[in-house]
Amino acid sequence: MAGGKQRRVNLALQGGGAHGAFTWGVLDRLLEDGRVYFDGVSGTSAGAMNAVVLANGLMSGGNDGARAALAAFWAAVAGSQPYKAAVPALDGENIALAPALKAMLRWTSYLSPGQLNPFDLNPLRDIVEAQIDFARLRTASPVRLFIAATHANSGKLRLFRQPELSADALLASACLPTIHRAVVIDGEPYWDGGFAANPAVFPLFYECDSRDILLVLLAPLKHKETPDSAAAIKDRVLELTFNSTFLREMRMFAHLREYVSRSWLPLGRFERRIVRSHFHVIEAEDLMCQLTTETKLTADMRFFEMLRDRGRERAQDWLQAHAEDVGRRSTVELSELFY
């Protein structure tokens, strides 16, 4: 562990399919450094996978156990996909899906998941059931967990906390409805949590002790170009759909902080909590803007390792600049990012 006092943070981990390997890298560097530790972790889709694998590793082996668990999870995902991606560049950046997988994805516009995959095969289920001790995690998780899923028939957010964790809950958070059947839990169907929260930030504010929230973002907050092809427009619409609830929630926090800061009245409990909350961001907007949407479905270890390394670099930059600010002040101005 690097020298200095340990400081506690909450983590908000976005979803983004294979791009979640960037978050793996961020977590790996934070765990290696050791100056911050985690109170609550909220995650959606790939962010949920990282959150639960992180908690499971911490539970069994501390920071080193969490780093090993995350590495094992992403290696298993890389080895699970029957269609291999072509990687023209050794750095893993210029990557494209194999023709067979592209053809399968085109069929999702015409066939339901039940027709495409009548036996409901899901290699990710095998991975999470083999690697995560859900029974123990439900009672002994070292961090508070908030896993987001979307109720398929109402659009309402469902948060699964650690006493409710199961393989089904985790898979529900990552259930893309064009590829996988809805995950049924207690008789109710659930889809990817990104439709309702990507991720949910409010439980970190209301239910955790730490006043610091570190957002690990995969979706760019702003693109430099407007899409003009049919495929690019469709991809952008999907991305905006997954980001809308998160942006709305963050705008709410920004408005509240600004409103409370202008008040001359004595502050109540809620207002004091707002004022004393600190926000931080680790993101890779420049990289994510360069990657095509289809790379979110790529299971290739070189691609994962490239993203992991970028995540480690961004986390190192943040630690060097802001580790000592945790518990003292925000290192990002919400109004500048989310207004």
Side-chain angles (χ1 to χ4, degrees):
M1 182 184 77
K5 178 183 176 182
Q6 273 194 309
R7 302 179 185 277
R8 183 169 54 177
V9 301
N10 299 310
L11 295 172
L13 309 181
Q14 276 194 335
H19 295 179
F22 173 84
T23 304
W24 165 29
V26 171
L27 297 176
D28 187 69
R29 185 66 190 97
L30 295 179
L31 291 162
E32 182 182 46
D33 181 84
R35 276 179 287 177
V36 298
Y37 67 106
F38 312 123
D39 182 8
V41 188
S42 178
T44 295
S45 195
M49 297 290 167
N50 278 317
V52 174
V53 173
L54 168 70
N56 193 71
L58 288 170
M59 180 178 66
S60 60
N63 282 21
D64 289 341
R67 294 182 68 198
L70 286 162
F73 172 78
W74 285 98
V77 172
S80 68
Q81 186 168 300
Y83 303 100
K84 297 301 179 183
V87 189
L90 292 177
D91 61 10
E93 289 193 38
N94 298 319
I95 192 165
L97 295 185
L101 185 51
K102 284 187 175 182
M104 188 275 286
L105 292 176
R106 282 196 293 270
W107 279 108
T108 62
S109 299
Y110 307 100
L111 299 176
S112 70
Q115 294 170 313
L116 281 172
N117 185 7
F119 298 105
D120 200 21
L121 301 176
N122 188 348
L124 194 55
R125 176 180 290 278
D126 298 332
I127 293 171
V128 300
E129 289 181 343
Q131 295 194 4
I132 298 171
D133 186 347
F134 287 100
R136 186 180 173 207
L137 203 57
R138 285 192 288 269
T139 59
S141 174
V143 296
R144 296 177 174 93
L145 290 169
F146 308 95
I147 304 306
T150 303
H151 191 275
N153 292 342
S154 69
K156 292 181 180 179
L157 170 65
R158 169 70 189 272
L159 279 181
F160 294 95
R161 295 163 174 81
Q162 63 266 20
E164 307 168 291
L165 281 180
S166 65
D168 281 341
L170 188 53
L171 292 170
S173 185
C175 178
L176 289 174
T178 58
I179 298 176
H180 301 292
R181 299 180 188 180
V183 178
V184 178
I185 301 173
D186 297 330
E188 300 294 336
Y190 294 97
W191 283 344
D192 194 294
F195 294 111
N198 190 26
V201 180
F202 70 87
L204 302 174
F205 176 81
Y206 287 108
E207 300 182 36
C208 296
D209 297 326
S210 173
R211 295 179 299 175
D212 288 75
I213 299 175
L214 173 57
L215 309 168
V216 183
L217 306 183
L218 300 180
L221 293 173
K222 186 176 182 180
H223 291 271
K224 296 180 180 179
E225 299 179 356
T226 304
D228 55 10
S229 70
I233 291 170
K234 181 179 179 181
D235 290 342
R236 182 68 58 81
V237 168
L238 182 61
E239 180 182 292
L240 294 176
T241 299
F242 273 107
N243 269 357
S244 61
T245 52
F246 169 72
L247 294 174
R248 189 179 304 117
E249 186 177 10
M250 295 312 300
R251 280 196 296 271
M252 179 199 70
F253 277 113
H255 281 300
L256 284 173
R257 288 168 65 85
E258 183 179 1
Y259 178 79
V260 171
S261 69
R262 296 199 307 261
S263 175
W264 53 269
L265 296 172
L267 299 183
R269 179 184 176 190
F270 177 78
E271 289 83 359
R272 290 196 301 271
R273 179 79 178 185
I274 284 286
V275 169
R276 295 171 183 173
S277 293
H278 308 135
F279 288 87
H280 316 273
V281 171
I282 297 177
E283 51 82 29
E285 186 171 284
D286 54 342
L287 171 63
M288 297 305 173
C289 283
Q290 296 173 18
L291 299 176
T292 61
T293 299
E294 69 179 22
T295 61
K296 294 180 180 181
L297 298 173
T298 299
D300 180 272
M301 199 61 198
R302 280 181 290 180
F303 184 53
F304 290 168
E305 289 171 346
M306 180 276 292
L307 290 168
R308 176 203 62 195
D309 292 345
R310 294 294 185 91
R312 282 181 55 85
E313 291 170 5
R314 295 301 171 91
Q316 174 57 32
D317 292 342
W318 181 83
L319 285 166
Q320 185 172 345
H322 300 304
E324 299 307 312
D325 293 319
V326 174
R328 298 175 179 174
R329 67 180 187 90
S330 292
T331 57
V332 64
E333 183 54 58
L334 295 184
S335 60
E336 295 178 1
L337 287 182
F338 299 106
Y339 269 7

